[in-house]
Amino acid sequence: MSILKLALKSSTVQSIRQLSGSSGSDVVVVSALRTPIGSFRGSLSQLSAAQMATQVIKALISQSSVKPEQIDEVIMGHILTHGGGQHPTRQAVINSGLPSATVTSTVNKLCASGMKSLMLASGLLSLKQANIMIAGGMESMSNVPFILKRGDTNYGHTQLYDALLSDGLMDAFHNIHMGNCGENTAKKYGITREDQDKFAIGSYEKSAAAAKAGLFDKERISVTVPDRKSGTKTISDDEEYHKVDFNKIGSLKSVFQKDGTITAANSSKLNDGAAACILMRSETAKDHGLKPLIRIVDYADNELDPIDFPVAPVGAIKKLLSRNGINKDDVKMWEINEAFSVVPLAHIKMLELDANKVNIHGGAVALGHPVAASGTRIVAHLAHTLKSGEYGIAAICNGGGGSSAMLVQAV
């Protein structure tokens, strides 16, 4: 390579780094919160997705100096809206005390919905179409109804369809459960049942240790839930990671295929929860006397064949690293959503990542996966865990072969 080409290459990388460096127009996250994560039909099942999001939005406003009328727009990811009432994001906005003039939108990008909402908000802020925004995700998997298809009620018996499966967990192209796609990935990349069980045990152990050390306290709020005996009760802890029985993990049968590798223990669960962030440009944060947690450096989507959705984030991550002149070793923390244990394991293998930097405080296998909220949750965890100057990448796959990933830097 000639000296001129080397100089141009160096100049390009430097320009990219300058572009992603600190400036008054950087989009930053100044607050990031989530509810505890409830088990299926568990501690949060009395709340709709909108009701959980309402409590998160109230907490965001309460903990910041931002006034309700200063929020220009709210974007929330939500997949399984069935039976939740008209425009769940609008419900959350109005019921949290924000003005009726607040613009609201709901995003459905399956499991990546909560991250995509952050990406959309960041783009609007970069274009200066808004000054202050709230973005996140919400899901009550416990309250997804069964569907009776219109026109199927002829004489005799009829069939109910579980919307949780049909609109959330089934691949629409091959008519197979997402877990079968995970099995395909495990076979393709030589990831064994033992590998996945070991990873799952680690996820539970790391989540429990992090909770004990108070590492989720800054990101997690307490939620008020209706209670028949006392009127209301307060839920403050994640529910799922307490329920593991390590003695049974090795003996569980595979769920999706007779001789498969994916079990109830080494995959994420059905869960309830909501998460959201306040985003603005750094100059706006300075005007309000707010200290940013992270700046959003860049974000990317990637799509491939639907059956390969578990590894779709690999392409999104490569785009982020290449565009910003960052080596994977420069990334301090990786939050790769644990839809199944095979997902982060495949990423570690394909990207040759340091496993000690991946999901260092556990993930969805242990904490739970309230699908549309998880993309926001993993970004929020980076926001509260990274130290000043450190880079982190959050990545999440979604059904249909898609994914989203976000590169952030602690301020």
Side-chain angles (χ1 to χ4, degrees):
M1 186 179 291
S2 70
I3 294 176
L4 177 59
K5 288 183 177 180
L6 281 170
L8 287 171
K9 183 178 180 181
S10 176
S11 175
T12 301
V13 170
Q14 183 64 28
S15 296
I16 291 171
R17 285 179 170 162
Q18 286 174 353
L19 181 63
S20 66
S22 179
S23 73
S25 295
D26 283 340
V27 174
V28 297
V29 172
V30 300
S31 184
L33 298 173
R34 66 173 177 89
T35 66
I37 299 173
S39 298
F40 187 68
R41 302 302 301 159
S43 63
L44 300 183
S45 61
Q46 296 300 309
L47 300 176
S48 68
Q51 288 171 329
M52 288 185 286
T54 296
Q55 297 198 40
V56 174
I57 293 172
K58 284 183 175 179
L60 285 170
I61 298 297
S62 175
Q63 292 185 20
S64 74
S65 61
V66 177
K67 297 177 181 178
E69 61 269 22
Q70 293 174 318
I71 304 297
D72 296 307
E73 186 169 350
V74 177
I75 304 176
M76 295 293 289
H78 189 16
I79 304 167
L80 303 161
T81 60
H82 318 72
Q86 188 185 62
H87 203 341
T89 302
R90 187 66 173 166
Q91 294 177 46
V93 165
I94 297 298
N95 292 332
S96 63
L98 270 63
S100 59
T102 309
V103 179
T104 53
S105 299
T106 303
V107 174
N108 182 350
K109 194 180 186 289
L110 294 178
C111 295
S113 300
M115 187 176 292
K116 189 65 176 180
S117 70
L118 297 174
M119 294 160 67
L120 292 170
S122 182
L124 290 169
L125 290 164
S126 295
L127 289 172
K128 298 188 177 181
Q129 293 187 5
N131 290 317
I132 303 175
M133 296 186 65
I134 290 176
M138 54 185 174
E139 208 74 67
S140 176
M141 301 179 81
S142 291
N143 287 307
V144 181
F146 289 84
I147 296 173
L148 176 63
K149 291 189 176 180
R150 192 178 298 275
D152 280 3
T153 53
N154 297 321
Y155 179 78
H157 300 291
T158 189
Q159 184 176 355
L160 289 176
Y161 295 85
D162 187 349
L164 183 56
L165 280 173
S166 64
D167 290 20
L169 305 177
M170 293 291 290
D171 177 78
F173 301 92
H174 303 89
N175 196 32
I176 56 175
H177 194 285
M178 300 275 84
N180 286 296
C181 302
E183 291 283 11
N184 178 72
T185 297
K187 291 176 183 176
K188 184 179 287 190
Y189 296 100
I191 298 170
T192 67
R193 161 73 182 268
E194 290 72 23
D195 295 333
Q196 295 173 64
D197 283 353
K198 183 179 178 181
F199 184 91
I201 290 169
S203 183
Y204 276 103
E205 290 176 340
K206 288 184 285 188
S207 293
K212 186 177 181 180
L215 299 182
F216 299 136
D217 292 351
K218 289 183 179 179
E219 68 190 58
R220 188 177 56 197
I221 66 171
S222 294
V223 170
T224 302
V225 177
D227 182 68
R228 291 180 181 178
K229 295 181 179 180
S230 60
T232 60
K233 62 181 178 181
T234 300
I235 306 298
S236 301
D237 193 9
D238 300 310
E239 187 174 7
E240 201 67 60
Y241 75 92
H242 293 286
K243 301 170 70 173
V244 65
D245 185 344
F246 290 113
N247 294 321
K248 292 183 178 181
I249 288 179
S251 61
L252 290 176
K253 293 183 179 180
S254 57
V255 178
F256 305 105
Q257 295 179 7
K258 183 179 179 180
D259 299 316
T261 62
I262 295 177
T263 70
N266 63 34
S267 57
S268 64
K269 315 304 182 285
L270 308 179
N271 299 97
D272 306 326
C277 302
I278 297 179
L279 302 92
M280 60 186 70
R281 291 181 297 280
S282 56
E283 59 201 10
T284 308
K286 184 177 180 181
D287 291 342
H288 284 78
L290 295 169
K291 186 182 186 309
L293 298 171
I294 54 173
R295 67 183 184 93
I296 297 176
V297 179
D298 196 2
Y299 42 82
D301 295 313
N302 189 58
E303 308 272 344
L304 35 68
D305 192 287
I307 200 168
D308 292 321
F309 88 92
V311 297
V314 170
I317 290 168
K318 287 182 177 179
K319 291 177 185 178
L320 293 180
L321 296 175
S322 175
R323 282 204 301 240
N324 293 279
I326 292 175
N327 187 282
K328 65 177 185 287
D329 296 327
D330 297 328
V331 179
K332 183 68 175 181
M333 282 180 63
W334 300 84
E335 284 288 319
I336 300 174
N337 190 57
E338 298 171 4
F340 307 97
S341 291
V342 71
V343 173
L345 285 171
H347 283 70
I348 290 168
K349 190 169 190 175
M350 296 173 70
L351 293 168
E352 298 181 337
L353 302 180
D354 180 351
N356 294 317
K357 293 182 178 181
V358 177
N359 301 356
I360 63 173
H361 299 135
V365 165
L367 290 170
H369 182 18
V371 282
S374 291
T376 307
R377 182 195 71 79
I378 58 178
V379 173
H381 190 60
L382 289 176
H384 287 288
T385 309
L386 290 170
K387 297 179 181 178
S388 180
E390 292 179 343
Y391 287 103
I393 287 182
I396 187 166
C397 55
N398 64 262
S403 66
S404 296
M406 182 171 284
L407 171 64
V408 302
Q409 184 180 31
V411 178

